[in-house]
Amino acid sequence: MAGVSRVTLVRVVATLRDGIGVKRSRRGVDVHERLSLLLPVWRRDRPEHLTEAFRSTVLDQTRRPDHVVIVRDGPVDAALADRIAELAATSPVPVDVLELDRNLGLGPALDAGLAACRHDVVARMDAGARPVRATVR
């Protein structure tokens, strides 16, 4: 899976650097490339932080992702598992939940998640990160 992540990241960097798939319109910038959001989660993440990160990256952006991959990096408690299921069920965009049997760490979890992303352009958000509004320039 390491080769997949390297190729994907190279395509993302080239896309962002060269502006491939970006077109100006009266409303600003339209991104025509399909976008996946990669969101790794592990046992120490708090359900309310996951909800805040998910909402800020899926609902509150000027450009929503077209697909979300939530990677559950190993077992999580019932509250966090329920929140993951709730977010996936109520999301306005398709969500795939990838459940790893044991905690592999961030790098391998991201590699597994990148392999599950449907699109070449991938944004990443941590479940415990403070959300920010992303824009295309």
Side-chain angles (χ1 to χ4, degrees):
M1 286 188 204
V4 171
S5 64
R6 193 170 311 129
V7 169
T8 302
L9 290 175
V10 167
R11 290 195 71 187
V12 169
V13 169
T15 298
L16 294 175
R17 184 191 66 231
D18 299 334
I20 297 171
V22 176
K23 179 183 107 181
R24 295 221 172 258
S25 72
R26 290 182 190 181
R27 294 178 301 170
V29 177
D30 292 328
V31 178
H32 295 285
E33 292 285 335
R34 310 263 306 156
L35 170 69
S36 289
L37 171 67
L38 178 55
L39 186 61
V41 178
W42 75 303
R43 67 180 174 87
R44 290 195 181 163
D45 286 323
R46 296 173 54 181
E48 60 273 14
H49 291 167
L50 172 60
T51 300
E52 185 178 0
F54 188 88
R55 286 187 177 149
S56 75
T57 53
V58 174
L59 301 176
D60 298 341
Q61 295 297 323
T62 56
R63 167 59 166 93
R64 283 186 180 170
D66 300 293
H67 170 240
V68 177
V69 175
I70 298 176
V71 180
R72 195 194 73 191
D73 188 13
V76 297
D77 65 26
L80 188 54
D82 290 346
R83 187 63 53 91
I84 292 168
E86 174 190 336
L87 292 171
T90 61
S91 173
V93 300
V95 176
D96 292 331
V97 178
L98 179 60
E99 298 178 352
L100 305 179
D101 292 333
R102 62 185 179 88
N103 179 263
L104 300 176
L106 183 59
L110 290 175
D111 284 344
L114 280 170
C117 287
R118 297 178 189 172
H119 308 297
D120 289 335
V121 179
V122 177
R124 183 172 93 75
M125 178 69 162
D126 287 327
R130 302 250 9 170
V132 296
R133 187 166 203 128
T135 58
V136 177
R137 293 186 187 259

